Amino acid sequence: MNYFSHVLGHLRKDLRLEWRSRDSINGMLFFALLVVIVFSLAFDPTAAVSRQIAGGILWVALLFASVTALNQAWTRELRNRVMDAQRMSPSPASALFLGKALANFLFVALVEAVLAPLFIVFYNLHALGQGWLLLAVMPLGTWALVCNGTFFAALGLRTRNRELLLPLVLFPISMPALLGMVQATTAILTGEFDPGQWIRLLIAYNIAFTTICLLLFETILNAE
């Protein structure tokens, strides 16, 4: 098998498990909807105000919601000593990480697809800038969250308080990406400034941290 066959095998396994249980998607969707509804009740979503705050609310909702899925992503591998089997497998460790990260990316993207129309309705949104750029910002921002989140969830897998450790590590490291996501989304919705520099920041952030995670994951997988 070549490298991408290994990645695809891990991806199919995670998608099949999630299809059977739907634990991650249901948890993320409930939490994200709750945040959006609470903020829509807390603020008067007039057209001007909603465009200023919508980017921050959207990404904060997705950030906190994705943590619930990321915490469960590796917990499944502990059952029936699957993680030990992964260590002895001839499959590259980075292929396991990439398959898991892609699965988490698809789960979060599905939640975004459900959330987007509701978000537009609740906050009365339409983009004043180049709306098509959201097709770049959303996947770039989502990958920034799930790539680091998948890596650090594996790093804290053997700790006693792994549910608490993940947000404590992930949130500070994700701050540059989170700033880029919020600023780029706000720029597109308001049309007040150019989102190009923030999109370039997201691209550079994703390249750097994806490379680091792929290179270091074998050490994390084989650590005792």
Side-chain angles (χ1 to χ4, degrees), residues 28 62-63 66-67 69-70 73-74 97 100-109 112 139-153 166 170 174 181 205-206 210 213:
M28 284 192 295
L62 291 174
L63 175 64
S66 63
V67 169
L70 294 169
W74 292 105
F97 167 79
K100 184 77 69 175
L102 287 172
N104 289 330
F105 176 85
L106 292 176
F107 299 154
V108 178
E112 291 173 356
L140 286 172
T142 303
W143 180 254
L145 295 180
V146 300
C147 180
N148 282 338
T150 303
F151 181 83
F152 289 112
L166 177 59
L170 178 62
S174 298
M181 303 169 206
Y205 182 95
N206 283 338
T210 301
C213 291

Side-chain angles (χ1 to χ4, degrees), residues 105-122:
F105 176 85
L106 292 176
F107 299 154
V108 178
L110 180 60
V111 172
E112 291 173 356
V114 176
L115 199 63
L118 298 176
F119 203 82
I120 293 172
V121 171
F122 275 108

